[in-house]
Amino acid sequence: MVYKILFESMRNLCYNMLVLKKKVEDKVKKYYNLIICGLLVAFILAGCGEEPASHVVNTASPVSGSGADVSPQPTVKPLTEDEILTKSDDILSKMTLEQKIGQLFIVTPEQLDTSKKQIKGMKKVTQKLGKTMEKYPVGGILLTQRNLNNVRQAKQFCAALQNASPEIPLYIAADEEGGKQSIFKKKAKLGAKESMSQQQMGETLDQSGIVSASSVIARNIKELGFNLNLGLVADLVDIDNPSNASRCFAEDDETVGDCVSSYIAGSHQLGVATAMKCFPGEGSVKGNKAGEVQLSCDKSLSHLRKYDFTPFWSGIKAGTDMIMVSSVSVPNITQDSTPAFMSSLIVKGILRDELLYDDIAISSLQNSKALTKNYTADQIAIQSILAGCDVILSPSDLPIAFNGVKSAVKNGKIGKNDLDASVLRVLHNKIQRGIIAFQ
């Protein structure tokens, strides 16, 4: 209880200080953030006498293209943060504009080969897919249940996708929440060990148990060749929205925060990157996000700050690789129906500046009917980048979105420095998780 009071007091102080921060010039912003973070850490340590968790960089085994081997690897000296930054800068300096833009996109295989025969789901790399990747060198591929038949096919597909990537290794992403939401649920031939839902974890396990349960999920997907899990739900259970409860750890914000931290630790033990979702919180949102109706969250900013932000704050401290920003609107913040990931007030103003998050912000799926009936693929992609997102997830039309971003960079609408900053976040994370490996 004392810790909570101290922590909340310090966080409120940070919010007040950050109002003043708006007036600070851009060149000072980065150092201001570091000062505030340092004060927060020092305050917690002084008040609670706890040792800070050490930040270990690149301790995970390199993620192989086939995903066949997740056994312990020979000990390799981890790269320091300075070494990762140096290597990231070196890669960036040699990249073309197209390669930089490509790193901002995670797409499905079907978006790389749009032929009608692929509607039921691609399960191998086609000639058209390979040519599309050469033209649009995307940074990652999202595979779903329809892309997976059995262990051998899944491993071969993941390896072939990595081989088809022209230069930089891919994120191979799964939206694997475990339990009933598992991509393995109807695929016994995939040989996955049974996993728990986040609701089951929150109700039955202590924090060490959640680390182990998360490791099971990470192992299941890594063995097939995946290196990124988009399935960490950081929403709070809302008793008025029971349909969403099975995907969430708990109702209490601090409990969810602890569960999120443990889940991230378990995933990182296996070298699998994590994306937690969906900021600023969707626990109370009812309806189908893939439908034609633009959904909204009716919570006030003060309510979100008090409760829903807590798990995200915990995930940031635990080193989450990505935070997914929601496609629902938050009219009590934006005063309109703008999807959250397209709002600079939400991404830059709150996630970046208020919660001090400086790693990868990824959009929710950009191909929902609610989005595409109101915006074109390039409008959605460009606005999400301008809002502060680094990664575009599943645009409705890759060529239109890609070329739209390219034109926006060339005409100055998207700053080249902003583009480079986003690409560096991606490169840094890929090196950190062993996706880009060095001898």
Side-chain angles (χ1 to χ4, degrees):
M1 181 61 69
V2 172
Y3 174 83
K4 180 178 179 181
I5 294 172
L6 291 172
F7 183 81
E8 291 297 332
S9 298
M10 189 60 192
R11 187 165 66 172
N12 290 336
L13 177 61
C14 286
Y15 291 150
N16 293 331
M17 292 176 71
L18 284 163
V19 172
L20 298 176
K21 171 178 170 288
K22 298 293 184 181
K23 300 179 181 180
V24 180
E25 294 183 359
D26 290 340
K27 291 183 180 179
V28 182
K29 183 180 292 184
K30 177 179 178 181
Y31 302 101
Y32 197 100
N33 287 345
L34 292 173
I35 291 170
I36 293 177
C37 288
L39 287 172
L40 180 59
V41 172
F43 185 87
I44 293 173
L45 292 177
C48 303
E50 296 179 352
E51 292 293 328
S54 59
H55 181 61
V56 181
V57 180
N58 200 27
T59 56
S61 302
V63 179
S64 64
S66 66
D69 183 12
V70 292
S71 60
Q73 301 294 315
T75 302
V76 177
K77 182 180 179 181
L79 295 175
T80 66
E81 180 67 15
D82 285 343
E83 288 173 330
I84 292 178
L85 291 172
T86 298
K87 291 181 181 296
S88 301
D89 284 332
D90 183 57
I91 295 172
L92 181 73
S93 68
K94 300 172 184 176
M95 294 174 71
T96 65
L97 176 59
E98 290 76 15
Q99 289 172 333
K100 290 179 181 179
I101 294 172
Q103 288 302 301
L104 309 187
F105 284 85
I106 295 178
V107 301
T108 65
E110 294 76 22
Q111 290 169 321
L112 295 168
D113 182 347
T114 56
S115 57
K116 291 183 179 180
K117 64 182 180 180
Q118 306 299 345
I119 292 177
K120 293 184 178 180
M122 292 187 64
K123 296 178 176 65
K124 64 180 182 180
V125 172
T126 62
Q127 184 177 17
K128 184 174 181 180
L129 181 149
K131 289 183 177 180
T132 304
M133 285 186 68
E134 290 178 3
K135 188 173 183 179
Y136 305 107
V138 297
I141 305 292
L142 171 63
L143 299 182
T144 63
Q145 192 178 75
R146 66 178 184 167
N147 301 120
L148 309 173
N149 271 345
N150 53 59
V151 172
R152 182 178 179 182
Q153 174 271 330
K155 288 181 177 181
Q156 289 178 342
F157 193 19
C158 289
L161 287 168
Q162 290 289 13
N163 291 334
S165 181
E167 297 292 338
I168 298 173
L170 298 164
Y171 284 122
I172 304 291
D175 188 4
E176 176 54 20
E177 297 182 10
K180 293 182 179 180
Q181 303 295 327
S182 175
I183 61 174
F184 302 105
K185 183 170 177 56
K186 297 180 180 179
K187 297 283 186 176
K189 292 182 180 180
L190 289 171
K193 185 176 179 180
E194 185 175 355
S195 62
M196 302 176 71
S197 70
Q198 291 179 197
Q199 182 184 44
Q200 290 172 321
M201 293 182 201
E203 290 177 347
T204 64
L205 301 179
D206 60 15
Q207 295 310 310
S208 63
I210 293 176
V211 173
S212 298
S214 171
S215 296
V216 170
I217 292 176
R219 182 177 293 275
N220 282 344
I221 63 176
K222 184 174 181 180
E223 285 180 339
L224 299 180
F226 293 89
N227 50 38
L228 169 62
N229 187 8
L230 305 177
L232 174 52
V233 179
D235 295 329
L236 306 180
V237 170
D238 189 312
I239 58 174
D240 294 325
N241 189 22
S243 62
N244 199 45
S246 64
R247 303 174 59 239
C248 306
F249 287 112
E251 182 179 0
D252 178 70
D253 61 312
E254 289 192 359
T255 299
V256 177
D258 291 339
C259 293
V260 162
S261 298
S262 298
Y263 190 104
I264 291 169
S267 188
H268 284 178
Q269 283 182 0
L270 272 292
V272 175
T274 57
M276 54 189 302
K277 60 185 181 182
C278 276
F279 189 81
E282 292 183 349
S284 64
V285 177
K286 300 177 182 179
N288 179 14
K289 289 198 297 180
E292 296 185 2
V293 177
Q294 175 64 49
L295 303 182
S296 65
C297 171
D298 61 1
K299 301 295 184 184
S300 67
L301 179 56
S302 60
H303 180 97
L304 292 168
R305 278 177 172 155
K306 187 174 182 180
Y307 300 106
D308 297 73
F309 287 3
T310 302
F312 292 99
W313 182 257
S314 296
I316 292 169
K317 291 191 297 177
T320 187
D321 303 276
M322 301 183 187
I323 290 180
M324 184 179 291
V325 186
S326 177
S327 61
V328 306
S329 63
V330 194
N332 287 328
I333 296 178
T334 64
Q335 306 304 312
D336 59 25
S337 60
T338 302
F341 70 71
M342 295 171 66
S343 167
S344 61
L345 180 57
I346 291 176
V347 184
K348 288 183 179 178
I350 299 177
L351 181 59
R352 296 289 192 203
D353 291 345
E354 188 171 305
L355 270 68
L356 307 176
Y357 180 64
D358 196 34
D359 290 311
I360 298 171
I362 179 174
S363 77
S364 295
L365 295 170
Q366 295 196 0
N367 60 352
S368 70
K369 293 179 181 179
L371 291 169
T372 57
K373 78 174 187 178
N374 293 312
Y375 308 94
T376 60
D378 55 332
Q379 288 174 332
I380 300 171
I382 292 169
Q383 187 54 44
S384 64
I385 293 173
L386 292 175
C389 289
D390 303 297
V391 174
I392 296 161
L393 181 60
S394 194
S396 60
D397 190 304
L398 174 60
I400 289 178
F402 189 102
N403 290 324
V405 172
K406 184 177 178 180
S407 296
V409 173
K410 286 187 172 182
N411 65 29
K413 187 172 185 178
I414 295 175
K416 291 183 179 180
N417 289 339
D418 292 331
L419 172 64
D420 285 353
S422 290
V423 177
L424 279 173
R425 288 189 180 105
V426 172
L427 295 175
H428 180 282
N429 182 251
K430 286 185 174 182
I431 296 172
Q432 186 180 35
R433 295 289 157 240
I435 300 168
I436 298 176
F438 295 91
Q439 298 298 325

